[in-house]
Amino acid sequence: MRLTAAIFLTVFAAGCENAYAQSYSYGQDYDANVTLAAGHGVLTAENGMTLYTFDNDTKDKSNCDGGCAESWPPYVAKAGDKAPGEDFIMIKRADGSGQWAKDRAPLYFWVGDSVPGDTTGDGVGGVWHVVK
């Protein structure tokens, strides 16, 4: 029985990973809603990817641009977008684009996360943290 369950879970997980890998995007092509990742207790965007904060940011201001933003893409907000949840505001980045912030802390994705629910960016450099 355990072997059958293990085989089923392995096949199921592999199928899910392929489905997410094909549809995943950091960009603006998803609804701006956030949820708690099932079983993870972390905040995710509608695409299922984990959201992070950066200790070097200040309230309402991102300090992650250039190469930093390539590794930590901002959670993009466009003018007219509805806030994805309570305590979310749109902030203006240095380049003039919009970014979502929760409790005034700018939000980011991590390119090292490969599938929804991953939290591999938590603790990177001692300054990146999942949002709970």
Side-chain angles (χ1 to χ4, degrees):
M1 180 74 160
R2 287 185 185 181
L3 179 60
T4 303
I7 292 170
F8 171 78
L9 289 174
T10 302
V11 171
F12 179 76
C16 290
E17 183 173 333
N18 288 339
Y20 286 128
Q22 294 171 2
S23 65
Y24 173 70
S25 169
Y26 290 112
Q28 302 171 24
D29 296 83
Y30 57 88
D31 293 328
N33 293 314
V34 294
T35 61
L36 286 177
H40 294 280
V42 299
L43 199 64
T44 65
E46 181 66 25
N47 62 2
M49 300 307 286
T50 300
L51 294 167
Y52 297 87
T53 57
F54 182 40
D55 286 347
N56 295 342
D57 285 344
T58 56
K59 289 186 177 184
D60 303 334
K61 184 178 184 315
S62 169
N63 288 310
C64 180
D65 296 304
C68 176
E70 289 177 19
S71 295
W72 297 92
Y75 184 21
V76 175
K78 297 181 288 183
D81 282 352
K82 180 183 171 199
E86 287 186 34
D87 302 321
F88 282 79
I89 61 169
M90 185 183 305
I91 63 166
K92 190 179 225 181
R93 295 179 51 78
D95 65 3
S97 64
Q99 179 175 0
W100 288 115
K102 182 173 186 335
D103 298 323
R104 302 181 68 188
L107 299 173
Y108 305 87
F109 298 103
W110 165 236
V111 297
D113 287 347
S114 57
V115 297
D118 275 357
T119 58
T120 63
D122 193 29
V124 169
V127 294
W128 291 95
H129 311 283
V130 297
V131 181
K132 294 186 179 189

